[in-house]
Amino acid sequence: KQEVTQIPAALSVPEGENLVLNCSFTDSAIYNLQWFRQDPGKGLTSLLLIQSSQREQTSGRLNASLDKSSGRSTLYIAASQPGDSATYLCAGGGFQKLVFGTGTRLLVSP
Amino acid sequence: NAGVTQTPKFQVLKTGQSMTLQCAQDMNHNSMYWYRQDPGMGLRLIYYSASEGTTDKGEVPNGYNVSRLNKREFSLRLESAAPSQTSVYFCATDRLAANTGELFFGEGSRLTVL
């Protein structure tokens, strides 16, 4: 059974810092790995989707990597801003069995 | 373009009452999903529908039923609500079948069962 773990559970950084969020999964046979952002009281917004044949995806200040052999994905946020404060969740996908981590709660202070 | 719309946004029920959560999407996606989100447990799949007319159980289906009314609408019904069903419920869709595409979520329905 796929298990997805995110460490740390919470992270606080000053504005402008580059940071890395970690996601690990137990079953390397995944179709894709997705990163989401969730603001308090809101739904999830997809940030990046990495298919199993890919190693990374980039969108603006965000870069996500996927290493299936080690069971790890990282989300890199460059030059963090207070508006980046949110909970970030990763999810590893199998056949109609997307398994979510519990998220990293990020606070970026001005 | 509303994307994925869930109703109601908030609901309080008494134990044993029934209710239906509604989800509608205007993205012309085939697959639709119902998840629940509980503190410390992440999102868990309740039911999904790969296409109109089909539904399948997810990880935590007990106490729930679903209906894929048409391509746009996917409803989740609680026949006899229990306090353990207090949660935030999310509907989601993806463009490709088999959960291989990008997921789009609704804003959530917050349910409290007393």
Side-chain angles (χ1 to χ4, degrees), chain B residues 70-84:
Chain B
N70 47 56
K71 189 172 185 178
R72 289 188 64 247
E73 298 172 292
F74 189 36
S75 63
L76 178 71
R77 182 161 179 84
L78 287 70
E79 292 292 351
S80 179
S84 61

Side-chain angles (χ1 to χ4, degrees), chain A residues 4-15:
Chain A
V4 178
T5 304
Q6 292 186 249
I7 295 174
L11 182 64
S12 183
V13 301
E15 180 178 7

Side-chain angles (χ1 to χ4, degrees), chain B residues 40-56:
Chain B
M41 299 192 71
L43 276 81
R44 292 179 293 169
L45 182 63
I46 305 171
Y47 270 94
Y48 63 93
S49 171
S51 62
E52 183 179 350
T54 68
T55 61
D56 286 285

Side-chain angles (χ1 to χ4, degrees), chain A residues 12-72:
Chain A
S12 183
V13 301
E15 180 178 7
E17 192 163 298
N18 302 324
L19 58 99
V20 174
L21 306 181
N22 296 298
C23 173
S24 61
F25 47 93
T26 55
D27 186 355
S28 62
I30 59 172
Y31 282 100
N32 63 48
L33 192 293
Q34 299 186 46
W35 283 93
F36 298 88
R37 169 185 174 136
Q38 185 175 29
D39 294 288
K42 299 293 186 180
L44 282 71
T45 300
S46 178
L47 297 173
L48 291 165
L49 167 66
I50 311 174
Q51 300 288 1
S52 61
S53 59
Q54 300 172 322
R55 296 208 41 118
E56 66 177 344
Q57 284 285 339
T58 298
S59 176
R61 295 182 295 108
L62 305 180
N63 175 274
S65 67
L66 174 63
D67 184 346
K68 291 175 60 179
S69 62
S70 67
R72 291 186 60 196

Side-chain angles (χ1 to χ4, degrees), chain B residues 9-29:
Chain B
K9 288 183 169 49
F10 300 93
Q11 184 71 50
V12 179
L13 292 177
K14 294 181 180 178
T15 297
Q17 288 185 319
S18 62
M19 76 158 299
T20 299
L21 301 178
Q22 307 284 357
C23 176
Q25 54 106 355
D26 61 5
M27 308 178 84
N28 200 34
H29 288 173

